[in-house]
Amino acid sequence: MRRGALESMEIASLVPHHARYRPAATAVICGGQRLSWRDFDLRADRLGRALSAAGVEKGDRVATVLANCQELLDVYWACARIGAVVVPLSPLLMADGLRSLLQDAAPKIVFVEPAGCDMLATVRPDLPSISACIVVAAETKSGNGLLAYAAFVAGPSAARGPTVAVAPDDIYNIMYTSGTTGLPKGIVHTHRIRAAYGTLFANAWRMTPNSVVLHTGAIVFNGAFVTLMPSFTVGATYILHPQFDAAALIETCAEERVTHLMLVPAQIAAVLSAPTFAPEKLASVEVLLSLGAPLPVAQKEQLDALLPGRFHELYGLTEGFVTILDREDANRKRGSVGVPPPFFAMRIVREDGGEAATDEIGEILGRGPILMPGYYQRPDLTAQAIRDGWLYTGDLGQVDADGYLYLVDRKKDMIDSGGVKVYPHDVEEVVARHPAVLEVVVFGIPDEKWGETPAVAVRLKVGADITADDLRAWINQRVGARYQRVSQVLILPDFPRNAAGKTLRRELRDPFWAGRPALI
């Protein structure tokens, strides 16, 4: 049935399109299942009918508190069909954070895994909007206010779900940036924005229907959509692991001939240092995309030596701006995070509001076709973030004569040592070159004389033998200025991370500041 000019912006049309024209091709590999496009289309349609039968209407929110699983993918594409708004939340949230985000989103349905049922039961009295909680587990039985997923989708009997008219600027999902501190901040993404994710990133990653895309991080985070949407747009095979595991990733690449990988820097380090790593096992990989934080130059050099010609880097914000360092430029512009893609624009602005000169540090501003319409129900925060159509990122950077962006740091992470600005990224690049260092984070800690001084937290490579004092001396001999010298080195077995694998710098830094007045 033709639904008119809006068809091209309905991301719900993607799965039925591939099911019609390539029904037997493999769509999804997850949890031991291999689903064709025909099979996946039927699953998404069945869940969409179940949601409609449960009273979910266009614009209603559907929340998930799930780790990676087939059912989470089903929810993403079922909600697209019926115009419902997906609200993916991390299963690692604590009760207060979960309550805060669910109160803000006010979902009608919540999907939860068994491990989260008790916490959801604790917060549910404060959530009157919820009409049903669906437990995702094959062996779960309905009861105690919970409904098993299998029972939920078994109810509707119609052959196909109803057609729901969805406009390009209707909301598709809300991505929350915080549930632990401050007020919830939900970033709104529309069908138009997610369609742009599909087309723009498919082009950037040179993705085709023959591509095999592996994702091992949590897909409740927006970074996952950077490969998920283009994979489903072009009809590639999408492989979803339950969680990141370096050994499993390496073996899957070898067995399934994976062509596209997306990893955060800590995961890249883990893969390259894994006992089972061998370049030939990743020989099929055409694109290895790094995002979430800048990858140190030392690791870029190691990666290029082992897997040459694959590396891409993305700098971006969920709010809707990105730059991309293409593999063709990765060596020529090794310290850069690339340039804005087509249809995007970027500015570097000084503190006085003027345009920064070439190589001058300023705040990064951006705009483009994936720019959010705003924060959910927070026009005040939206007005702070988007001014005159430009997203103020809060990140500091500089642009070279060729227009390539070089990240300096987050404004809030900058260290003020005796009135001199110290950028953690500059010190991290030095530390990352030590042969014993696997991963590094630099942050400011209190100092009676200077106000703040840099401190270093590191993870060491397996078998490395160096003391914190020796590493501190090595670093301080090599930093570019006296004010960059570090006052303390912490050697840790691991760093605090969110479910996407990104290091939580705040959790390393904040204990040093507990009970102290904020610097002015």
Side-chain angles (χ1 to χ4, degrees):
M1 177 188 300
R2 179 173 175 79
R3 286 181 276 179
L6 298 181
E7 182 85 22
S8 62
M9 286 295 177
E10 291 181 19
I11 59 172
S13 68
L14 293 174
V15 174
H17 173 91
H18 301 309
R20 179 179 182 185
Y21 297 111
R22 301 174 61 242
T26 302
V28 175
I29 301 173
C30 180
Q33 295 187 87
R34 303 179 75 94
L35 298 175
S36 68
W37 284 107
R38 179 194 296 111
D39 293 336
F40 185 70
D41 180 48
L42 291 173
R43 284 183 66 102
D45 184 73
R46 182 176 65 168
L47 178 56
R49 286 187 281 118
L51 289 167
S52 294
V56 176
E57 299 178 347
K58 180 180 175 180
D60 286 340
R61 274 74 62 209
V62 174
T64 66
V65 192
L66 299 173
N68 288 358
C69 59
Q70 179 62 55
E71 290 82 1
L72 181 52
L73 281 176
D74 295 345
V75 172
Y76 282 177
W77 294 101
C79 285
R81 290 170 185 246
I82 64 172
V85 178
V86 186
V87 184
L89 303 176
S90 170
L92 300 184
L93 284 166
M94 302 303 287
D96 287 345
L98 181 63
R99 179 188 292 109
S100 174
L101 299 187
L102 289 175
Q103 285 177 332
D104 192 64
K108 184 171 285 188
I109 302 283
V110 177
F111 290 84
V112 64
E113 55 195 29
C117 288
D118 289 344
M119 186 187 302
L120 187 58
T122 299
V123 303
R124 189 170 178 181
D126 301 320
L127 304 167
S129 70
I130 298 176
S131 62
C133 295
I134 315 302
V135 185
V136 174
E139 69 281 0
T140 301
K141 295 182 180 179
S142 301
N144 298 321
L146 302 170
L147 183 61
Y149 185 90
F152 181 68
V153 298
S157 58
R160 298 292 290 184
T163 297
V164 177
V166 179
D169 294 321
D170 287 338
I171 301 175
Y172 169 63
N173 63 359
I174 302 170
M175 310 298 290
Y176 279 98
T177 61
S178 173
T180 55
T181 59
L183 294 171
K185 194 161 65 171
I187 297 169
V188 170
H189 284 161
T190 64
H191 285 253
R192 185 193 303 275
I193 289 171
R194 289 309 190 193
Y197 265 67
T199 55
L200 289 167
F201 290 128
N203 177 65
W205 317 140
R206 301 169 177 82
M207 211 175 273
T208 74
N210 296 320
S211 297
V212 179
V213 182
L214 172 60
H215 191 77
T216 64
I219 62 170
V220 299
F221 292 96
N222 190 66
F225 286 81
V226 168
T227 55
L228 188 154
M229 288 307 305
S231 181
F232 279 80
T233 297
V234 302
T237 296
Y238 189 78
I239 305 175
L240 182 63
H241 279 188
Q243 69 238 342
F244 172 75
D245 179 276
L249 179 150
I250 291 166
E251 294 312 309
T252 298
C253 284
E255 293 170 4
E256 299 289 349
R257 307 295 297 165
V258 169
T259 61
H260 288 71
L261 278 175
M262 185 187 76
L263 301 169
V264 299
Q267 294 168 345
I268 292 175
V271 169
L272 296 182
S273 62
T276 58
F277 173 78
E280 58 269 20
K281 290 187 175 182
L282 274 68
S284 62
V285 174
E286 301 168 6
V287 170
L288 197 161
L289 170 65
S290 175
L291 82 175
L295 186 69
V297 170
Q299 289 188 352
K300 291 180 183 179
E301 293 170 347
Q302 181 188 16
L303 189 61
D304 186 61
L306 295 169
L307 296 167
R310 278 90 156 181
F311 180 74
H312 292 65
E313 189 162 18
L314 179 141
Y315 156 72
L317 288 82
T318 303
E319 283 86 345
F321 176 70
V322 298
T323 64
I324 294 171
L325 181 68
D326 188 74
R327 66 191 185 198
E328 300 296 329
D329 300 318
N331 287 325
R332 184 171 63 91
K333 298 287 186 178
R334 185 161 282 171
S336 170
V337 290
V339 299
F343 311 117
F344 287 75
M346 177 178 66
R347 296 167 58 200
I348 307 295
V349 177
R350 299 192 304 261
E351 288 189 11
D352 64 7
E355 297 289 332
T358 298
D359 295 325
E360 183 181 5
I361 294 172
E363 183 174 0
I364 303 165
L365 278 58
R367 64 185 181 191
I370 63 172
L371 181 63
M372 67 173 183
Y375 296 111
Y376 185 61
Q377 300 185 129
R378 293 303 305 270
D380 54 333
L381 294 179
T382 302
Q384 293 174 25
I386 302 176
R387 293 171 243 166
D388 297 324
W390 291 93
L391 175 66
Y392 282 67
T393 67
D395 291 334
L396 299 173
Q398 58 196 81
V399 172
D400 69 12
D402 297 323
Y404 283 73
L405 176 66
Y406 292 76
L407 286 183
V408 176
D409 252 305
R410 292 286 296 171
K411 271 187 174 181
K412 65 181 180 182
D413 292 334
M414 187 172 60
I415 301 166
D416 187 343
S417 186
V420 178
K421 293 180 174 62
V422 179
Y423 300 108
H425 177 70
D426 292 343
V427 182
E428 288 169 352
E429 288 287 356
V430 173
V431 182
R433 290 195 171 276
H434 193 286
V437 171
L438 178 67
E439 193 175 359
V440 55
V441 175
V442 172
F443 50 92
I445 62 173
D447 183 88
E448 290 185 3
K449 181 178 182 179
W450 302 110
E452 284 185 276
T453 58
V456 175
V458 299
R459 294 176 61 221
L460 299 180
K461 294 178 181 177
V462 175
D465 184 18
I466 188 171
T467 68
D469 287 342
D470 287 345
L471 182 56
R472 177 174 170 268
W474 185 94
I475 296 165
N476 287 342
Q477 289 171 3
R478 289 164 174 80
V479 291
R482 291 174 62 89
Y483 53 79
Q484 292 177 321
R485 291 178 179 174
V486 303
S487 58
Q488 189 169 153
V489 171
L490 306 174
I491 297 177
L492 302 176
D494 202 358
F495 292 160
R497 307 181 193 281
N498 65 18
K502 293 172 66 173
T503 300
L504 299 173
R505 186 188 302 259
R506 182 184 68 248
E507 293 194 13
L508 291 168
R509 179 189 62 217
D510 286 0
F512 289 92
W513 293 94
R516 294 174 179 263
L519 292 177
I520 298 175

